[in-house]
Structures are given as structure tokens and as C-alpha cells.
Amino acid sequence: GDKLREAERIFQDEEFERAINDAFELSSELGFHNGALSSKNVVTPVMLYLYENGISAKSTDTQSIYYWLATTVLNGVYGNIGSERVLKTARRHIRTTGTNSFPAMDILEDLRGSGAVVRLDNAVLNDLLEEVDYRSGSRRNVLLTNLYEERRAGHKRYEVDHIFPRGKLADEEFLLEQGVEPEQIEFLKENRDHIANLQLLDAESGENQSKSDRDLTNWLGRIDDGKVESVTDRADYFDQHHVPSDSNLHEYQNYPTFLNKRLELIRDHLKSELPLKKAKEEPRLS
């Protein structure tokens, strides 16, 4: 009964409630709204850190919290190691760290050797860009959210859309008509859900209805005609969505090159947006 009474006391504590609200609000500001969290547990250590130290989210170092959220969600740390172990390890470090900053690196370092990737650097980002696609849930949502200033993947206002329509990339007859070489067709089909073929469209302004399964060239024509109210012109569209502007790349037969070029644009942007660490020097074996 003692434990239950203690838990009850904490749950009724206003500061505990404030820590919960602050932690989720801060996470959301950093781009980790519900749709970008693999589980609510990801935010629990942040909440614990604010509560145990009696500090507000306003006065804390957000960069280390951003690193924690991005690293744990993108690498699936909770799923790979198990919530209980992650939370126990986090609690231990939070209780000894003091208030300077959230001990993201210490916790992650402690979880090394458990089979999960516990770093976020250029090499990890490259792997993620090969691995994460349309079906990747919260990991897809984190990468796409970080591509945009305001838009958020996994939020009901924004819809994840295929730039080259998904159905058409699997329609052999259509692709042959478009001049795609027969030996390329399998590649197009297999890579239609590639992250470099995804963009976030605003559902409220009707962008997605307007795009639906139009070819990219057709959609750009609509933008030229001023029929897409949230985009000023082509240049604005290319800039906003990090899409290569070379019109050759908007043709189906050049889809493989389009993917490579857009992947570069995405990678460059994410390198400057995500809290990546410098690659670690591995100790040399003498």
C-alpha cells in the first residue's frame, strides 16, 4: 500500500502535472508531436528530468533533449532494447546529473552494446535514408517533418503524398508508353515508396486533392496556371519541397536519377536540421 500511496501523492502533485505538460509541449515544439513519437515512453525521461530537477522547459538546454528524441525514435531504441531497460537507465542518469542539461549522451552511451544504434551522425543518417520509406511510421514522420519549416508529418492537417504517383509507378503498360525502358520497370515499382518520392501536402488548403494522382509534369502545369493556391510558382514549390528543378527529371524514364538528386537535396537539408554528432573516432587496436 505504501508504494501506491507514494504514487498517488506524485500523481496529484501539481509540479508533476506541469512536468508532463511541459515535456510533451517541448517535444512537440521540437517536431515530436504524437505522430512523430514511436511511443509516449520516449518523452518520459524528459518529463522525469524536468520534475526531479524542478525546472521548467523554458530554462533547459533543448539541444540535448532534441538529440535524445531524434536518436531514440529514428533508431527504434525503445523497440530494440525494451522500454523497461531504457527507462531504468535514463532514471539512473537523471538522478545523478543535476540541472545543467539533459544527460542524453550518458544514457545512450550506457545503452551501447545492446544491439541498438544509439548514435545519430552522418553515417546513421545515410542508413536511415536508405531504409525509411512510406511505410515507416514515426521514423518517416520525423525525417519528413525536419524537411519543412512548418509542416508536420503524421499531423492530420498534412498528408504524405507520393510526388510520382504510386499507382502509376507500378503500371507497366503506362510506364512503357512514357518511354521507360522495360528493364527499369521493376526498379520503379520497388522504389515507389522511397523517401525521396515523398512530400507533405497541406490538406486544409486542398493541395492534396489538387495533386491526387497527377503526374509531376501535370501538377507543375497547374502550379504555373495559379491553380494551387498555397504555392506561388514552380520555384517556390521546388524550394519548399526540396525537389530538383531540372524538367528532364520530372519524366518517368528519369525517375532513378530524380530519386538520387532529390535524396542529395534531402540529405543536405537534414544534415543542417537534425542534431547530428560528429562521427566517433573508433579506438585503434594496437
Side-chain angles (χ1 to χ4, degrees):
D2 285 354
K3 270 197 171 163
L4 207 59
R5 269 194 291 281
E6 171 68 1
E8 217 168 63
R9 185 188 62 73
I10 291 175
F11 280 117
Q12 288 168 351
D13 181 348
E14 270 176 34
E15 280 173 22
F16 185 68
E17 208 169 301
R18 188 177 318 129
I20 295 176
N21 291 335
D22 274 7
F24 279 102
E25 223 163 88
L26 175 60
S27 300
S28 189
E29 276 167 28
L30 292 169
F32 290 83
H33 47 288
N34 259 350
L37 290 172
S38 42
S39 103
K40 297 262 197 313
N41 271 338
V42 172
V43 181
T44 303
V46 178
M47 182 182 86
L48 207 63
Y49 169 73
L50 298 176
Y51 177 66
E52 299 253 331
N53 291 303
I55 49 179
S56 80
K58 303 274 181 290
S59 63
T60 187
D61 159 34
T62 56
Q63 202 54 17
S64 56
I65 290 174
Y66 187 16
Y67 185 74
W68 167 258
L69 296 169
T71 306
T72 49
V73 176
L74 287 172
N75 292 322
V77 169
Y78 276 76
N80 286 326
I81 296 177
S83 294
E84 198 178 338
R85 179 165 170 210
V86 177
L87 293 172
K88 266 186 181 157
T89 307
R91 190 186 301 126
R92 196 167 62 245
H93 285 283
I94 286 161
R95 292 204 161 141
T96 55
T97 188
T99 57
N100 290 342
S101 79
F102 181 77
M105 294 301 285
D106 296 340
I107 302 167
L108 291 164
E109 198 54 38
D110 203 343
L111 293 168
R112 269 171 73 103
S114 48
V117 179
V118 290
R119 280 186 67 70
L120 196 56
D121 55 28
N122 279 332
V124 173
L125 177 60
N126 288 339
D127 290 345
L128 286 165
L129 289 172
E130 287 308 316
E131 204 180 295
V132 171
D133 68 8
Y134 182 63
R135 299 178 297 270
S136 301
S138 54
R139 301 194 305 155
R140 173 202 76 179
N141 291 345
V142 171
L143 292 180
L144 287 179
T145 295
N146 275 279
L147 261 194
Y148 292 86
E149 293 297 312
E150 300 292 332
R151 302 184 174 207
R152 300 180 155 218
H155 186 289
K156 61 180 180 299
R157 180 173 172 182
Y158 302 105
E159 289 167 350
V160 178
D161 174 71
H162 289 72
I163 298 176
F164 280 73
R166 189 172 192 278
K168 289 180 175 176
L169 286 170
D171 181 340
E172 190 169 338
E173 205 176 315
F174 171 80
L175 294 173
L176 290 171
E177 280 168 19
Q178 298 294 314
V180 176
E181 299 293 333
E183 62 273 15
Q184 287 277 26
I185 285 176
E186 198 48 40
F187 177 89
L188 268 60
K189 186 176 180 179
E190 279 177 10
N191 287 280
R192 57 193 177 153
D193 285 332
H194 197 292
I195 193 151
N197 189 33
L198 304 179
Q199 62 186 349
L200 281 182
L201 295 185
D202 187 337
E204 278 182 14
S205 70
E207 264 184 357
N208 208 20
Q209 282 70 20
S210 169
K211 167 70 168 61
S212 86
D213 68 347
R214 291 173 197 281
D215 304 332
L216 179 55
T217 46
N218 179 313
W219 165 242
L220 291 170
R222 283 180 73 78
I223 289 174
D224 292 341
D225 296 342
K227 288 183 179 159
V228 185
E229 62 181 70
S230 45
V231 189
T232 332
D233 53 27
R234 274 179 189 235
D236 178 30
Y237 169 76
F238 296 141
D239 189 47
Q240 196 178 16
H241 297 275
H242 310 281
V243 168
S245 57
D246 177 353
S247 57
N248 280 334
L249 299 182
H250 306 150
E251 304 289 342
Y252 284 89
Q253 71 245 42
N254 296 322
Y255 182 68
T257 318
F258 170 86
L259 283 186
N260 282 332
K261 285 275 194 295
R262 184 158 187 256
L263 198 54
E264 283 314 306
L265 295 174
I266 290 176
R267 184 184 283 115
D268 287 347
H269 189 75
L270 290 178
K271 270 183 183 173
S272 66
E273 284 301 310
L274 286 168
L276 302 178
K277 299 286 178 202
K278 296 256 182 295
K280 224 176 187 171
E281 289 289 315
E282 289 301 328
R284 287 214 178 87
L285 297 172
S286 49

